[in-house]
Amino acid sequence: MQQKKSRGSLFVVSAPSGAGKTTLCRRLVSSQPGLAFSVSYTTRQPRQGEVRDVDYTFVGREDFLSMAGRGEFIEWAEVHGALYGTSGKRLEALMEAGNDVILDIDTQGAMQIKERYEGGTYVFILPPSFEVLKKRLEERMTDAKEEIEKRLRRAVSEIRSYQRYDYVIINDVLENALRELEAIILSRRVRAQMINPLWLEEGFFKQEEQ
Ligand code: ADP
Ligand code: 5GP
């Protein structure tokens, strides 16, 4: 029996740190069947409550650079002084299994993927204001003061990249932002090009011939 869909779709989500992309992506992956999250590798230290291989695979800098040298990342970048990368093997396995996949990656990584691959959907998440972004980072209580300042400085330059994305979501009221992200994913899923022609052949056109 042929699959209805010819392949999974790739959703690349970027945002300045603290805008809420982890919250949005996690909520959506848990509520949408067939949507998976690609777990990245990073050299940064785990935050309190983060689970190995669920939030990130935490590795040393040397191991990370060896993996990068072997071409195991489809993109990687240095963000806030740590290295982050998307494993080609992990992404491939998720897509092979028929999933749509969300990558939560920074703007440098997103643009590397955009240059190399066709067909991805690019979503940028904005906080409602700079003040709210600052407050969210402070209230998350996962980063030291200097770390928060570093993230806020970087936020401004990251936001300048918004025009290179297909969609922009302002994460003010969480439920509204979730609905918007869900709408983007659903509309991509029902595009005509997502239907597997062999499935139509087997299920409809052959019946007509009989
Ligand atoms: P990011 O992954 O973009 O760094 P997080 O998902 O960790 O951001 O969110 C940063 C903080 O803001 C978290 O404490 C989260 O619970 C909170 N948060 C996320 N979205 C909203 C929202 N719409 N309203 C209020 N707080 C939010
Ligand atoms: P955090 O340390 O707050 O979880 O993430 C910091 C930044 O790294 C965020 O912008 C996040 O999207 C980005 N990031 C997470 N994983 C990857 C990845 O695999 N590749 C790239 N390029 N960025 C990533």
Side-chain angles (χ1 to χ4, degrees):
M1 185 67 179
Q2 289 289 334
Q3 303 266 11
K4 289 192 192 76
K5 276 181 17 176
S6 49
R7 63 199 142 87
S9 300
L10 184 65
F11 298 92
V12 179
V13 179
S14 303
S17 184
K21 68 187 172 315
T22 309
T23 310
L24 285 165
C25 293
R26 298 288 173 174
R27 279 275 300 268
L28 216 60
V29 165
S30 65
S31 69
Q32 283 289 325
L35 183 66
F37 180 79
S38 169
V39 178
S40 296
Y41 284 77
T42 184
T43 63
R44 96 152 152 68
Q45 291 299 311
R47 294 188 185 123
Q48 199 167 13
E50 279 184 332
V51 179
R52 182 181 188 86
D53 298 332
V54 172
D55 294 292
Y56 283 105
T57 297
F58 298 97
V59 290
R61 207 172 170 96
E62 212 169 293
D63 286 345
F64 187 102
L65 289 172
S66 309
M67 288 179 74
R70 291 194 297 269
E72 292 182 27
F73 297 123
I74 55 162
E75 64 71 34
W76 66 276
E78 179 146 13
V79 189
H80 315 302
L83 305 176
Y84 294 82
T86 303
S87 152
K89 215 193 266 177
R90 278 186 185 172
L91 179 62
E92 196 55 40
L94 291 171
M95 308 262 308
E96 278 273 294
N99 292 293
D100 293 328
V101 180
I102 296 196
L103 299 183
D104 162 353
I105 62 178
D106 89 310
T107 50
Q108 305 168 77
M111 292 310 120
Q112 288 177 43
I113 296 206
K114 202 170 185 188
E115 277 161 24
R116 288 184 207 158
Y117 300 92
E118 278 181 10
T121 303
Y122 295 80
V123 184
F124 197 84
I125 314 280
L126 272 177
S129 68
F130 189 77
E131 286 66 37
V132 170
L133 181 66
K134 186 163 182 274
K135 193 159 163 270
R136 283 188 190 161
L137 280 171
E138 286 165 357
E139 288 178 355
R140 188 169 69 180
M141 294 195 293
T142 51
D143 300 288
K145 198 163 176 278
E146 308 81 70
E147 193 58 39
I148 290 181
E149 276 162 15
K150 202 159 44 162
R151 282 163 192 263
L152 286 172
R153 276 196 300 275
R154 197 183 146 86
V156 177
S157 67
E158 282 174 321
I159 290 171
R160 287 191 202 282
S161 322
Y162 83 95
Q163 278 176 322
R164 303 187 69 186
Y165 288 72
D166 301 315
Y167 299 96
V168 175
I169 294 177
I170 299 171
N171 179 22
D172 188 352
V173 176
L174 185 67
E175 296 306 321
N176 293 348
L178 260 174
R179 264 192 329 133
E180 290 176 0
L181 188 55
E182 192 176 50
I184 292 167
I185 288 167
L186 295 182
S187 67
R188 173 85 211 179
R189 282 184 169 176
V190 294
R191 285 175 76 161
Q193 72 196 65
M194 302 314 296
I195 285 283
N196 179 1
L198 295 175
W199 174 75
L200 287 175
E201 188 66 41
E202 192 177 280
F204 298 94
F205 306 148
K206 266 197 197 143
Q207 315 296 326
E208 194 187 43
E209 287 162 17
Q210 281 165 12

